[in-house]
Each structure stands twice: as C-alpha cells, then as structure tokens.
C-alpha cells in the first residue's frame, strides 16, 4: 500500500479541497400551482401530489 513520503502541508491540503463545496440545489417553480420544488421530482401542495404540473394523487377525505 503506497504511503506519502512527506507530510502534506495544511495549505496544500486546503488548496486541494477548494473544489469540494456545497452548492444550492437548482429549484423550479410550478406553472400551475406556483410551488417551488426540485426539478424532475414529485412534490406536494395541500396534501395533493403533483409531478410536471399535473395532479397525480388527490388527497382523500378522512372520515
């Protein structure tokens, strides 16, 4: 198993890690409901399940 011959400095280690940063997720707004959601995913509005602006599962009344 290869091991480093010398210790990597903290600055060199941190320079390598500059590209590993958290990014904000790309959100979209539904044209029919106006809800903000992740693209290509189903989302709920008032208990109803929507995908691509269309109602998939309607909320059932609990008796």
């Amino acid at each position: 198993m290869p091991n480093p011959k010398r210790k990597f400095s903290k600055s060199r280690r941190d320079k390598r890690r500059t590209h590993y940063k958290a990014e904000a997720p790309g959100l979209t707004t539904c044209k029919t409901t106006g809800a903000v959601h992740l693209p290509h995913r189903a989302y709920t509005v008032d208990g109803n399940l929507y995908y691509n602006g269309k109602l998939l599962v309607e909320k059932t009344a609990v008796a």
Side-chain angles (χ1 to χ4, degrees):
M1 196 76 188
N3 287 317
K5 283 198 179 233
R6 290 189 174 84
K7 179 180 178 178
F8 267 68
S9 67
K10 293 179 190 105
S11 63
R12 185 173 281 251
R13 176 201 65 199
D14 293 343
K15 282 182 202 173
R16 185 182 68 242
R17 292 181 181 172
T18 58
H19 303 288
Y20 303 134
K21 50 189 131 183
E23 295 178 2
L27 299 174
T28 58
T29 307
C30 180
K31 294 175 185 172
T32 57
T33 61
V36 178
H37 61 91
L38 290 169
H40 307 290
R41 287 183 177 61
Y43 55 96
T44 57
V45 177
D46 297 329
N48 298 328
L49 188 67
Y50 287 89
Y51 180 75
N52 202 14
K54 298 179 183 86
L55 180 65
L56 288 181
V57 179
E58 193 169 354
K59 183 179 180 180
T60 58
V62 178

